[in-house]
Amino acid sequence: MIEQHPAIPESKPYKQNRWKKNFWGYMFLVPAIIIFIMFMWVPIFKGFLYSFYYVDFVKGNHFVGLDNYSRALSDPDVLKAVKNTLYYMVLCLIIGFWVPIAFAIAISELRKFGGFVRVAAYLPFVVPGVVLYGLWRWLYDPVGPINALLTTLGLDQISFLTEPKWSMISLVFMETWQQFGSGMLIYLAAVLSIPRDWYEAAEIDGAGVWARIRHITLPSMRNLIILMLILQIIATSQGYQSQMALLDGGPNNTTLTYALLIVKYAFTRLDYGTATALGMLMFIVLGGLGILQFKLNKEDN
């Protein structure tokens, strides 16, 4: 029977030499760690603390316990905002999630002008927000080009921004047009990393374009698609910028998202305690999604 010797612990001089060898590497990490703590964990800790206080910058803060959470959960606008946010997330998944995947696969199949198409598809992502909202407000205008085209085709005009059933859909189309370029580049990198031998073997076996996409491209991108899906869910759950800039949550609160409601509580109603309570509830939900993402990645690896 072979005797197993316990692992020999590292000697103290060896640890000291390793510390000296990596000293400057650790020093380069210090500024990043300090910034991360100051601008990430300190605000999170203060937000958790302030959610139990009535925040008053003049008379001072005083402890109110769970009153902020009770006030937040009893506000009917919160339920409305949650429903709108879920609706917004579903629309982004249905309308926008598959667009960058489709563009990435289509561009990978191009034999000419691939570089030009990549740049053209990415350009909307670099458009500043002010220009973006002004452009799409003009496009959605009752006398704008989209309604002019509908009138030319003999169809009725659509009030994209003032009709409740169209307002959120219109915002999702606008954001899909702007955002798909960045996701497209990520998916394109994944597609181009697939060995070309697989496609050549499939072509020799008589597989067409759709068969190659179904049996080679999409299965090879499975882990990336799951990751991007979770990241999009997290990102869209915090959406508020376009809803605030174009419609301020209207019409009739149909575009009032959860994050926009937090902004209104903090900067319109000046109720920072309830705003931080709402933020902590969102933090708990998004933290759960982050843990789910970590576990999925760990299982795949």
Side-chain angles (χ1 to χ4, degrees):
M1 184 175 182
I2 300 176
E3 182 179 357
Q4 295 181 350
H5 297 280
I8 301 175
E10 295 179 355
S11 62
K12 189 173 182 181
Y14 177 79
K15 291 183 178 179
Q16 291 177 350
N17 291 334
R18 189 175 63 176
W19 168 257
K20 291 179 180 179
K21 182 179 179 180
N22 300 326
F23 175 77
W24 289 109
Y26 295 140
M27 289 300 100
F28 277 110
L29 289 176
V30 170
I33 294 174
I34 293 175
I35 293 174
F36 184 78
I37 292 175
M38 289 180 59
F39 294 98
M40 181 64 70
W41 286 107
V42 170
I44 290 175
F45 175 76
K46 286 189 174 181
F48 175 74
L49 185 64
Y50 289 158
S51 66
F52 299 103
Y53 281 80
Y54 176 77
V55 180
D56 192 328
F57 294 108
V58 178
K59 299 180 180 179
N61 307 336
H62 61 270
F63 184 78
V64 295
L66 297 175
D67 287 355
N68 290 327
Y69 289 93
S70 177
R71 187 182 304 108
L73 295 176
S74 62
D75 186 354
D77 286 343
V78 173
L79 181 59
K80 178 70 173 178
V82 170
K83 291 181 179 179
N84 290 340
T85 302
L86 294 175
Y87 179 55
Y88 172 67
M89 293 166 63
V90 171
L91 284 179
C92 288
L93 291 176
I94 295 175
I95 297 175
F97 181 71
W98 298 104
V99 173
I101 300 177
F103 265 81
I105 295 175
I107 292 174
S108 68
E109 294 289 336
L110 291 178
R111 297 294 181 262
K112 295 182 180 179
F113 306 110
F116 171 77
V117 176
R118 296 179 199 180
V119 174
Y122 186 74
L123 279 179
F125 185 73
V126 302
V127 175
V130 175
V131 177
L132 175 74
Y133 301 139
L135 170 65
W136 281 87
R137 185 179 290 275
W138 170 67
L139 291 173
Y140 285 147
D141 194 87
V143 293
I146 297 180
N147 275 314
L149 177 62
L150 293 176
T151 303
T152 303
L153 297 175
L155 302 175
D156 295 333
Q157 291 188 348
I158 299 176
S159 300
F160 290 101
L161 298 180
T162 57
E163 193 170 342
K165 69 178 182 179
W166 284 105
S167 54
M168 190 70 83
I169 298 176
S170 302
L171 295 181
V172 171
F173 270 109
M174 177 192 68
E175 292 186 347
T176 299
W177 177 83
Q178 186 200 27
Q179 301 289 339
F180 85 93
S182 61
M184 179 269 299
L185 291 181
I186 297 174
Y187 285 118
L188 182 60
V191 173
L192 296 179
S193 67
I194 300 173
R196 306 311 298 176
D197 297 344
W198 297 359
Y199 291 103
E200 293 174 359
E203 290 180 4
I204 294 174
D205 291 339
V209 175
W210 294 113
R212 296 198 301 268
I213 293 173
R214 178 182 177 185
H215 297 288
I216 298 177
T217 306
L218 292 179
S220 300
M221 297 168 57
R222 176 181 174 274
N223 292 340
L224 177 61
I225 291 174
I226 294 176
L227 173 63
M228 295 293 286
L229 173 63
I230 296 176
L231 291 177
Q232 177 165 319
I233 290 174
I234 294 174
T236 52
S237 66
Q238 303 174 65
Y240 80 95
Q241 183 173 325
S242 60
Q243 289 84 355
M244 180 177 67
L246 283 179
L247 298 170
D248 195 29
N252 298 326
N253 287 340
T254 52
T255 59
L256 178 66
T257 58
Y258 190 85
L260 179 55
L261 182 62
I262 294 176
V263 172
K264 286 181 174 293
Y265 259 106
F267 301 107
T268 303
R269 307 180 188 181
L270 300 180
D271 189 350
Y272 298 99
T274 306
T276 53
L278 289 170
M280 290 309 302
L281 294 175
M282 174 180 281
F283 174 76
I284 294 172
V285 174
L286 296 183
L289 289 176
I291 294 173
L292 175 62
Q293 174 191 342
F294 175 78
K295 287 187 176 181
L296 289 175
N297 290 340
K298 188 175 181 180
E299 291 176 357
D300 291 334
N301 294 330

